[in-house]
Amino acid sequence: MKRTLSMLSTALVLAFAGTAVHAQVSAADAAKLGKSLTPMGAEAAGNAAGTIPAWTGGLTKPVAGHVPGGHYPDPFAADKPLFTIDASNADKYKAQLTPGQIAMLKKYPTWKMNVYPTQRSATFPKANLDDTMANATRAKLVSGGAGVTGTTGGVPFPIPKDGLEAIWNTVMRYKGDTYAMNWSQAAVTRDGAYTPVRFEYEYDFSYGNLTKPEKDREPNKLVNFLQTVTAPARLAGQILLVHETVDQLKEPRTAWTYNPGQRRVRLAPNVAYDNPGTAADGLRTNDDFGMFNGATDRYNWKLVGKQELFVPYNSYKLSGNQVKMADVLRPGHINPDHARYELHRVWVVEATLKEGTSHIYKKRTFYIDEDSWMIMVSDKYDARGELWRVSEQHAINFYDVPMFYGTIEVHHDLQSGRYLAMGLRNDEPKVWEKTKRSAADFTPAGLRGIGTR
């Protein structure tokens, strides 16, 4: 299918063709950040058709009625859908849809996309934006592209020259400092049946942490996190501890699990790549979590350019407590009446499996929001090259932080007719809670102590 690239993205790709693979951008190009480009490297101006507005700073103030840590009232609740895309008119909009989205519309007569006015709400704390602009002339990929050096915070490559830099932007974008959150996931069968699995998470970021003194941050550490299963009873008590690094060539990811039946902590070398995710019924891989995470070494990464695309955005209704989890989950797909789609510019990155390596996905195409560096949609192909899975990230602006953050993440399996919905917070009393933690709270010994309480 023919895709139209924006003039800016085409120019950038051509300008850097033939240069050193991971050379830094020029001072002149870096000077565009905060001017014609936003601090994150997005085009500040709207599009020629007027269907994408200019970026004016995003949402930076809490909406009336918001309680810290609680659900976020919808700042765009008064917006009405402009139109709806379904199987009957998908061809009309195919230039703004991914192959996976088109396949969803064809497979499920009940699936539709309600398209709303575009609201460029994404933004991040000023210190993060400042770091991002400074990174344009100082951040570098390590040899082989297995990590990033030259930065302690911010998106490393706001003006990316290749697909590898773009995907590292998604991995290292700001996702908060130190906090806890609870949510559920559901592996939904073809007929709509599911058993919710509830998780408690704790995150402690070292990279880019804006509240922790630099002396307390761990060198080369991206994040430590704990994942505890609290329901159903047959799974409750399982704990996963992960140490995620920035330069993975220097220090690979390390993970441990606690099994309540055995009361033992074990090293977990398989929490990576295409090994199955926790309690996901085989519907996602470990590196599907957050749309993509972990090592990049099994793929060749190509920066295709930019595309205007209908993506899930400002999903306050779908993610809020005015809608129950049972109202979200339906046979085949989530309830489309609660989802919101908008037209945004996205970077298109193609990942093709390297010869001599292995992964269940032979090819993956990522569609990355230019304003936030969040992957909004991903199309994934099997070993035969057939479209297999389609993933979408429904996100909102946590406007009291501020940060653009994923809420409900959905992985559709087109071949089995099943899907996995993650990040379901609708029935939770709180969305997140700031915490104070140190590296000592995220050790195997500490894991054993948590498991035996």
Side-chain angles (χ1 to χ4, degrees), residues 436-450:
K436 290 185 179 181
R437 293 288 182 266
S438 68
D441 297 314
F442 296 89
T443 64
L447 182 61
R448 187 176 292 105
I450 294 170

Side-chain angles (χ1 to χ4, degrees), residues 12-25 161-162:
L12 285 172
V13 171
L14 292 175
F16 291 113
T19 63
V21 176
H22 300 304
Q24 294 159 300
V25 303
K161 301 176 295 301
D162 56 39

Side-chain angles (χ1 to χ4, degrees), residues 174-254:
Y174 184 74
K175 302 169 190 171
D177 294 334
T178 305
Y179 57 94
M181 56 173 52
N182 304 331
W183 49 259
S184 296
Q185 75 176 26
V188 184
T189 64
R190 292 172 66 96
D191 61 3
Y194 59 89
T195 299
V197 179
R198 186 176 181 274
F199 296 93
E200 294 180 354
Y201 277 91
E202 284 212 40
Y203 294 89
D204 183 30
F205 282 86
S206 280
Y207 179 83
N209 193 306
L210 300 177
T211 58
K212 184 175 291 191
E214 191 165 347
K215 65 180 179 64
D216 294 335
R217 301 185 207 170
E218 296 178 82
N220 195 40
K221 184 64 65 67
L222 180 65
V223 63
N224 295 325
F225 80 85
L226 278 168
Q227 175 200 76
T228 304
V229 181
T230 61
R234 62 183 174 83
L235 299 176
Q238 295 182 15
I239 308 174
L240 171 67
L241 167 65
V242 176
H243 291 180
E244 187 82 339
T245 57
V246 178
D247 183 344
Q248 298 189 4
L249 191 65
K250 182 179 179 182
E251 295 176 275
R253 166 191 288 173
T254 312

Side-chain angles (χ1 to χ4, degrees), residues 24-356:
Q24 294 159 300
V25 303
S26 69
D29 284 323
K32 298 175 184 177
L33 295 167
K35 297 174 184 175
S36 60
L37 300 179
T38 73
M40 298 292 281
E43 297 173 53
N47 65 356
T51 49
I52 296 176
W55 186 78
T56 57
L59 277 174
T60 57
K61 295 181 180 179
V63 172
H66 175 250
V67 177
H71 287 267
Y72 287 84
D74 187 354
F76 310 117
D79 288 355
K80 303 298 181 185
L82 300 173
F83 53 89
T84 298
I85 304 172
D86 57 25
S88 69
N89 63 359
D91 285 347
K92 178 180 177 181
Y93 300 103
K94 64 182 179 181
Q96 290 82 41
L97 298 169
T98 79
Q101 290 174 322
I102 293 171
M104 285 284 295
L105 291 165
K106 290 182 178 179
K107 183 175 180 66
Y108 299 109
T110 51
W111 180 243
K112 61 183 179 180
M113 301 166 66
N114 291 324
V115 178
Y116 288 77
T118 299
Q119 306 283 0
R120 294 179 71 178
S121 61
T123 195
F124 299 90
K126 183 179 183 302
N128 179 264
L129 298 178
D130 290 344
D131 280 340
T132 296
M133 291 191 288
N135 284 342
T137 55
R138 68 186 184 189
K140 296 180 181 179
L141 289 174
V142 300
S143 178
V148 179
T149 63
T151 172
T152 58
V155 166
F157 308 108
I159 305 176
K161 301 176 295 301
D162 56 39
L164 195 51
E165 289 188 349
I167 205 68
W168 272 110
N169 285 347
T170 73
V171 171
M172 297 174 69
R173 63 186 177 81
Y174 184 74
K175 302 169 190 171
D177 294 334
T178 305
Y179 57 94
M181 56 173 52
N182 304 331
W183 49 259
S184 296
Q185 75 176 26
V188 184
T189 64
R190 292 172 66 96
D191 61 3
Y194 59 89
T195 299
V197 179
R198 186 176 181 274
F199 296 93
E200 294 180 354
Y201 277 91
E202 284 212 40
Y203 294 89
D204 183 30
F205 282 86
S206 280
Y207 179 83
N209 193 306
L210 300 177
T211 58
K212 184 175 291 191
E214 191 165 347
K215 65 180 179 64
D216 294 335
R217 301 185 207 170
E218 296 178 82
N220 195 40
K221 184 64 65 67
L222 180 65
V223 63
N224 295 325
F225 80 85
L226 278 168
Q227 175 200 76
T228 304
V229 181
T230 61
R234 62 183 174 83
L235 299 176
Q238 295 182 15
I239 308 174
L240 171 67
L241 167 65
V242 176
H243 291 180
E244 187 82 339
T245 57
V246 178
D247 183 344
Q248 298 189 4
L249 191 65
K250 182 179 179 182
E251 295 176 275
R253 166 191 288 173
T254 312
W256 298 263
T257 57
Y258 174 79
N259 184 304
Q262 299 174 343
R263 296 198 171 190
R264 292 184 63 183
V265 175
R266 291 186 173 181
L267 195 65
N270 294 326
V271 182
Y273 299 112
D274 57 355
N275 289 291
T278 304
D281 225 4
L283 292 170
R284 74 161 176 89
T285 62
N286 272 297
D287 63 6
D288 275 330
F289 187 89
M291 303 295 278
F292 182 81
N293 72 88
T296 60
D297 60 319
R298 293 192 182 181
Y299 287 95
N300 292 310
W301 301 88
K302 178 183 177 181
L303 184 62
V304 178
K306 275 189 187 171
Q307 177 186 347
E308 293 184 359
L309 192 74
F310 294 116
V311 295
Y313 219 94
N314 293 312
S315 304
Y316 291 92
K317 180 180 179 181
L318 180 69
S319 310
N321 58 355
Q322 301 302 308
V323 174
K324 297 297 184 183
M325 182 169 63
D327 298 328
V328 171
L329 303 174
R330 292 286 185 270
H333 52 73
I334 62 171
N335 189 338
D337 290 330
H338 301 320
R340 174 180 176 128
Y341 289 81
E342 299 178 3
L343 185 67
H344 286 263
R345 286 183 293 243
V346 298
W347 288 103
V348 182
V349 174
E350 288 184 356
T352 53
L353 191 62
K354 289 181 179 179
E355 191 172 343

